Amino acid sequence: MCGIVGLYLKNPQWHSQLGRLFGPMLEEMSARGPDSAGFAFYHDEAPGIEKVTVYDADTCRDWQALAGEASRALSTPVTATKVSTHALLRAESPPGTLRGWLERTHPDTRITSSGHTIEIFKEVGLPHDVLAEFGARERTGTHAIGHTRMATESAVTTEGAHPFNTGADLCLVHNGSLSNHHRLRRRLAKSAGLVFQTDNDSEVAAGYLTWRLNEGATIEEALEAALVDLDGFYTFAVGTADGFSVLRDPIACKPAVLAETDDWVAMASEFRALATLPGVDAATVWEPEPATVYSWRGA
Amino acid sequence: MNATVIDLRASSVRALNRILQGREEKPQSAYEVRNPSGAHAVAVGLEHEISVDVRGHVGYYCAGMNQTATIRVHGNAGTGVAENMMSGEVRVTGDASQSAGATGHGGLLVIEGDASARCGISMKGIDIVVGGRVGHLSAFMAQAGSLVVCGDAGSHLGDSLYEANLYVGGSVASLGADCEEKAMEAADRETLDALLDRARMNVSSRAFRKFGSARSLYHFHVDKAGEY
């Protein structure tokens, strides 16, 4: 069992409230996943910015030194903002530049996300504590995806927590378990050169979508293809730079509820996670159909 | 009828259920439950002839194990609404998630909207009337009772069915193993009309078709191994 939630704000008036609305959603899913929690916030700050969130269990890690080194190497301003065990690095560089430099020169540094708008923070512990640790309730942006984990397929570690980010601005959270992830992992590593950071099955699903997107598919097309190539139980919530998608496997054992108003679209494992959203009493609430791609874009 | 109001913003589900179950004292005749906010196990295990109106969406297993009570959910219900119901009536004005009425032995479950996958799974005598559609694998291994679907039925309807009767007003995506269409006899029409009437569904029974068990999977047969 795991809990997943997603909130996509259609009305820009709510963007400043994203974390305040999202926090209670994630916390309500604590019983479904009390061992770790994580979230991706999408916040388009300014054009030409590359954001990379990095993680180190050593809270004394000197992120300013890393930013300084990156700045000199890339000849562009790079800043570091420490957030508990994570740091958010910002560079004035094309997407992939800072990430590529980190992977080449600091291969031991754990990258939790990279892209133009995405910021992922995740940690072992109760969702309430993880939300507080990273100041989630104060965060702003267009959409957010979150996960509360009850581990089944791999160890309870920060790295094993969701969301998983495998390509610029893409993230995936997963409730369920995949049965063909070993074979798919080898295939993606061999034919597409994808590098995985964990043994987690859900990271393979994220990597699969990244591969499809890199091949030119839209996120909707990538998810349709996932229905064929992924074997197992899943409800996925997927974030992209400007979008939010939901997919359930054809058997649909894993729960999901969607709700929509003029102002927002929200998804959760259970309705109770949506019960605190403004205007939810008048929202359209429905259970997503099995094997059907739901997608919203362009906020 | 003046209903006693219980607000789940102020009361726990456990405290609510103790009142509705009459654990401390005989319950009142009518209750209204406000702000369920998707809570699980609302109004479960009731054994008195009382009336309960739940205003809003509920979570899992609402009205489970019901005996004799009449429970109305004015909203959607999560997984397993009225699971293992013995008697009484449960009505959901919105949609129900999967496994609605699972293993129910008796009583009437009415879902005015759609029910998702596995509606009436392993039903054992309950009657279920769905105003809209049902999802895949509905009435899986159903043993007794009737499932009435006014809209369309998803794939694998009545898979591995024993003796329940299935009536579908719309289309059927596919039948499950050992489920077949049956002739609609006059007695079936009476049963169906009575159920639609009890469920207060304003729908003509004319277009309905009946499905039931072909009874070829009751016992293991090596020639049918592929179908098990």
Side-chain angles (χ1 to χ4, degrees), chain A residues 196-253:
Chain A
F196 293 97
Q197 299 198 32
T198 72
D199 294 328
N200 191 287
D201 58 330
S202 312
E203 190 187 13
V204 178
Y208 175 83
L209 296 179
T210 294
W211 169 63
R212 286 283 183 192
L213 293 176
N214 289 345
E215 296 280 297
T218 62
I219 189 64
E220 293 83 7
E221 290 165 347
L223 287 166
E224 290 285 351
L227 282 166
V228 177
D229 288 333
L230 299 185
D231 185 17
F233 296 117
Y234 51 86
T235 293
F236 294 136
V238 177
T240 52
D242 69 341
F244 164 60
S245 308
V246 173
L247 178 68
R248 300 174 82 196
D249 71 71
I251 305 289
C253 282

Side-chain angles (χ1 to χ4, degrees), chain A residues 32 248 250-256 269-273 275 280-281 283 285-287 289-290, chain B residues 9 35 37-40 57-58 60 76-77 79 95-98 114 116-118 133 136-137:
Chain A
R32 296 188 64 91
R248 300 174 82 196
I251 305 289
C253 282
K254 297 299 178 185
S269 298
E270 301 172 26
F271 174 77
R272 60 191 170 123
V280 72
D281 289 340
V285 180
W286 76 101
E287 180 171 322
E289 295 279 336
Chain B
R9 281 197 183 139
N35 297 307
S37 301
H40 298 327
H57 305 310
V58 293
Y60 294 1
N76 296 343
T79 296
D95 299 335
S97 184
Q98 63 176 313
D114 298 332
S116 63
R118 293 170 275 271
R133 299 171 295 149
H136 63 266
L137 277 169

Side-chain angles (χ1 to χ4, degrees), chain B residues 61-96:
Chain B
Y61 315 129
C62 179
M65 300 173 284
N66 185 52
Q67 293 194 55
T68 69
T70 298
I71 301 166
R72 286 172 294 269
V73 176
H74 302 265
N76 296 343
T79 296
V81 63
E83 53 110 19
N84 213 41
M85 178 157 72
M86 305 303 284
S87 62
E89 183 176 327
V90 175
R91 177 178 289 269
V92 178
T93 66
D95 299 335

Side-chain angles (χ1 to χ4, degrees), chain B:
Chain B
M1 191 164 57
N2 283 330
T4 304
V5 174
I6 300 174
D7 192 332
L8 281 178
R9 281 197 183 139
S11 164
S12 70
V13 170
R14 185 161 295 188
L16 165 76
N17 285 335
R18 287 188 72 84
I19 293 168
L20 299 180
Q21 290 162 2
R23 298 287 199 91
E24 269 86 34
E25 55 186 55
K26 192 169 174 291
Q28 306 291 312
S29 59
Y31 289 89
E32 180 171 318
V33 180
R34 292 186 187 160
N35 297 307
S37 301
H40 298 327
V42 170
V44 298
L46 306 196
E47 295 177 290
H48 296 269
E49 272 186 62
I50 63 171
S51 156
V52 181
D53 283 281
V54 184
R55 306 274 174 193
H57 305 310
V58 293
Y60 294 1
Y61 315 129
C62 179
M65 300 173 284
N66 185 52
Q67 293 194 55
T68 69
T70 298
I71 301 166
R72 286 172 294 269
V73 176
H74 302 265
N76 296 343
T79 296
V81 63
E83 53 110 19
N84 213 41
M85 178 157 72
M86 305 303 284
S87 62
E89 183 176 327
V90 175
R91 177 178 289 269
V92 178
T93 66
D95 299 335
S97 184
Q98 63 176 313
S99 304
T103 74
H105 286 253
L108 175 67
L109 169 62
V110 180
I111 296 152
E112 294 184 359
D114 298 332
S116 63
R118 293 170 275 271
C119 179
I121 182 171
S122 196
M123 54 193 277
K124 296 175 170 67
I126 189 175
D127 291 318
I128 303 174
V129 180
V130 181
R133 299 171 295 149
V134 294
H136 63 266
L137 277 169
S138 286
F140 176 59
M141 294 189 84
Q143 291 141 61
S146 297
L147 171 64
V148 178
V149 182
C150 298
D152 301 335
S155 65
H156 301 92
L157 176 71
D159 193 284
S160 306
L161 189 68
Y162 291 83
E163 283 305 320
N165 293 318
L166 318 179
Y167 302 98
V168 183
S171 67
V172 176
S174 69
L175 294 176
D178 212 31
C179 183
E180 64 178 13
E181 184 162 3
K182 304 275 189 187
M184 193 80 156
E185 311 284 355
D188 294 314
R189 188 76 60 192
E190 274 176 38
T191 304
L192 177 57
D193 282 335
L195 278 170
L196 289 169
D197 191 47
R198 275 176 68 204
R200 299 200 300 279
M201 289 287 171
N202 191 18
V203 178
S204 163
S205 65
R206 204 172 308 149
F208 278 75
R209 294 189 291 158
K210 183 190 178 188
F211 302 88
S213 174
R215 300 182 179 129
S216 62
L217 293 181
Y218 270 37
H219 306 289
F220 180 78
H221 194 291
V222 73
D223 291 342
K224 296 191 167 61
E227 293 185 55
Y228 295 116

Side-chain angles (χ1 to χ4, degrees), chain A residues 73-98:
Chain A
L74 300 172
S75 305
T76 187
V78 181
T79 63
T81 310
K82 185 174 181 309
V83 193
S84 185
T85 52
H86 290 43
L88 173 59
L89 306 178
R90 287 185 185 82
E92 291 179 22
S93 54
T97 310
L98 180 56

Side-chain angles (χ1 to χ4, degrees), chain A residues 52-57 61 63 85-87 99 102 106-113 157-160 196-199 203:
Chain A
V52 178
T53 50
V54 285
Y55 155 76
D56 198 318
R61 173 84 184 251
W63 297 115
T85 52
H86 290 43
R99 183 182 183 122
L102 277 168
H106 294 271
D108 295 339
T109 297
R110 289 284 189 184
I111 298 171
T112 52
S113 71
T157 58
T158 307
E159 291 88 341
F196 293 97
Q197 299 198 32
T198 72
D199 294 328
E203 190 187 13

